[in-house]
Amino acid sequence: MIPLKVSNLVKKYGDLEAVKNVSFEIQSGEIFGLLGPNGAGKTSIISSITTIEKPTSGSIELFGGRVERENKAAKAILGVVPQELVNHGFFSAFEVLEFHSGYYGIRSNKKHIEFLLNKLGLWEHRDKKIKQMSGGMKRRLLIAKALVHQPKLLLLDEPTAGVDIELRASLWDFVRELRDSGTTILLTTHYLEEAEELCDRVGVINHGKLIKIGPTKQLIKELTSRQVAIYLKNKLPPCQHINLIKSNAQEKSMLFEISNQTGIGELLAQLKFPMEDIIDIQIQEGRLEDAFVKLLGDKNELTS
Ligand SMILES: Nc1ncnc2c1ncn2[C@@H]1O[C@H](COP(=O)(O)OP(=O)(O)OP(=O)(O)O)[C@@H](O)[C@H]1O
Ligand SMILES: [Mg+2]
């Protein structure tokens, strides 16, 4: 059964159409990333799935069941990490997780709470009051909260915003572990490196429209090119090749940009450099960031 199916979703706030006829599906056991600039409509899509917001039109199905407001089945299936940090002020991390379990009618899950606190690097902070926690700790607690009832589908809206690089990497590992143990994951992120590292597939939202969707690797392959640096032993031969970007006489190197469909052998055959003259060939594959520049025109819009 398909964990999530969004069909022709439209979300308007007054005159503003924040989500414009968006349709996509998430496959079981994948990490799917929704990417797009600020205000693109990512949170509006998530809020429609969680029924915090009522869609203007369109439908959302979770494991084959249509999502309605106050839907009990949906509540049990979904774990949600909201973008906004909420403050539980005077309660400790442990208490927050216990209360939240109660909200799902779960009582004796102390072991699972301990597991989550450990996994999210919160064990030593378990007795801290929330108001004494840093932003990154609060973000991790939100993730633990979303997982107390072991949901089948986890929605993470900017899960690593404000989390330092080291912790971000351990969170990625944890998200992968969750995926590998059968949880399906939808996340939004501003970090393209994160999406590239983590997401099996990505969808790109811009001005409320889904402008691209596909497996991350395939999307990168389709939208980017490779840079090939060739280092030569002797002085550079004259070269008029159309893919030549620059030559460096001092380094005795030449940089070419070729499509992902062009083989290195093909390039070398065209160049006809004597093989014994080639010291090194370095290939730099395109990044998701490059794919974004192609799609949106300006990466700064997204990475800022
Ligand atoms: N409750 C609301 N009322 C009115 N307008 C809203 C509301 N929530 C969002 N919007 C508007 O809808 C558009 C999409 O916002 P949304 O929060 O979905 O974007 P986003 O892609 O999540 O952005 P970000 O990357 O900044 O989190 C924006 O123009 C935003 O101002
Ligand atoms: Mg958002």
Side-chain angles (χ1 to χ4, degrees):
M1 199 126 19
I2 297 166
L4 173 68
K5 184 173 177 178
V6 174
S7 310
N8 308 106
L9 179 67
V10 174
K11 176 64 198 168
K12 288 185 186 168
Y13 302 102
D15 289 339
L16 177 83
E17 201 172 5
V19 181
K20 296 171 183 158
N21 203 28
V22 165
S23 302
F24 65 95
E25 285 180 11
I26 298 188
Q27 305 303 324
S28 191
E30 75 173 350
I31 303 176
F32 182 87
L34 265 186
L35 315 175
N38 286 136
K42 302 179 296 295
T43 298
S44 299
I45 294 172
I46 300 241
S47 304
S48 302
I49 299 168
T50 58
T51 71
I52 287 174
E53 293 287 355
K54 193 175 182 317
T56 308
S57 61
S59 76
I60 294 165
E61 285 174 31
L62 291 176
F63 294 91
R66 187 134 178 197
V67 170
E68 313 286 349
R69 246 170 208 269
E70 300 299 325
N71 184 327
K72 277 211 181 106
K75 189 177 125 180
I77 288 168
L78 277 180
V80 187
V81 180
Q83 184 170 8
E84 299 297 327
L85 292 174
V86 263
N87 218 334
H88 299 281
F90 294 97
F91 296 109
S92 74
F94 208 102
E95 284 167 336
V96 166
L97 296 179
E98 273 190 325
F99 293 156
H100 202 64
S101 303
Y103 172 70
Y104 289 100
I106 304 166
R107 252 156 222 105
S108 46
N109 67 334
K110 214 169 162 199
K111 278 260 157 342
H112 185 58
I113 291 179
E114 285 175 9
F115 164 80
L116 291 172
L117 287 168
N118 265 310
K119 272 288 170 195
L120 290 158
L122 287 170
W123 182 249
E124 61 195 275
H125 307 293
R126 65 190 179 282
D127 295 323
K128 253 188 198 161
K129 307 269 180 264
I130 307 306
K131 65 184 182 104
Q132 298 165 332
M133 285 186 157
S134 72
M137 288 175 203
K138 283 184 202 155
R139 171 88 45 211
R140 280 179 275 149
L141 182 63
L142 277 184
I143 298 174
K145 238 180 101 183
L147 289 167
V148 287
H149 62 301
Q150 307 190 28
K152 289 204 278 182
L153 177 63
L154 180 64
L155 309 181
L156 299 155
D157 199 356
E158 303 283 342
T160 56
V163 174
D164 63 48
I165 290 177
E166 205 179 317
L167 241 149
R168 199 178 291 165
S170 73
L171 271 178
W172 293 352
D173 286 340
F174 183 47
V175 170
R176 271 191 221 105
E177 253 177 64
L178 286 171
R179 188 246 340 248
D180 295 343
S181 59
T183 313
T184 304
I185 293 152
L186 166 63
L187 62 87
T188 76
T189 182
H190 275 99
Y191 302 110
L192 293 172
E193 190 201 342
E194 174 164 288
E196 188 172 342
E197 174 79 21
L198 210 54
C199 299
D200 303 303
R201 288 195 308 136
V202 290
V204 182
I205 305 282
N206 197 23
H207 299 300
K209 284 194 188 134
L210 182 66
I211 58 168
K212 195 86 189 166
I213 184 166
T216 315
K217 287 201 174 78
Q218 193 179 307
L219 213 125
I220 293 172
K221 208 163 180 187
E222 180 193 325
L223 293 169
T224 67
S225 44
R226 286 183 288 175
Q227 298 215 332
V228 182
I230 302 180
Y231 293 83
L232 297 163
K233 207 188 297 175
N234 299 312
K235 89 176 169 47
L236 297 180
C239 180
Q240 300 285 315
H241 198 279
I242 49 160
N243 297 109
L244 178 68
I245 304 173
K246 62 180 176 193
S247 304
N248 185 330
Q250 221 172 4
E251 267 189 3
K252 289 189 240 158
S253 70
M254 286 177 165
L255 187 65
F256 298 87
E257 188 167 284
I258 60 170
S259 79
N260 286 304
Q261 284 70 43
T262 311
I264 304 297
E266 215 175 304
L267 174 71
L268 291 176
Q270 289 163 3
L271 292 171
K272 297 195 182 82
F273 295 159
M275 281 300 162
E276 61 277 10
D277 203 20
I278 298 174
I279 294 176
D280 194 13
I281 298 174
Q282 288 175 9
I283 302 162
Q284 179 149 21
E285 302 289 338
R287 307 292 312 262
L288 189 56
E289 194 170 303
D290 305 319
F292 266 85
V293 175
K294 207 55 178 289
L295 274 175
L296 299 181
D298 182 7
K299 74 173 181 207
N300 293 322
E301 240 193 306
L302 196 81
T303 51
S304 58

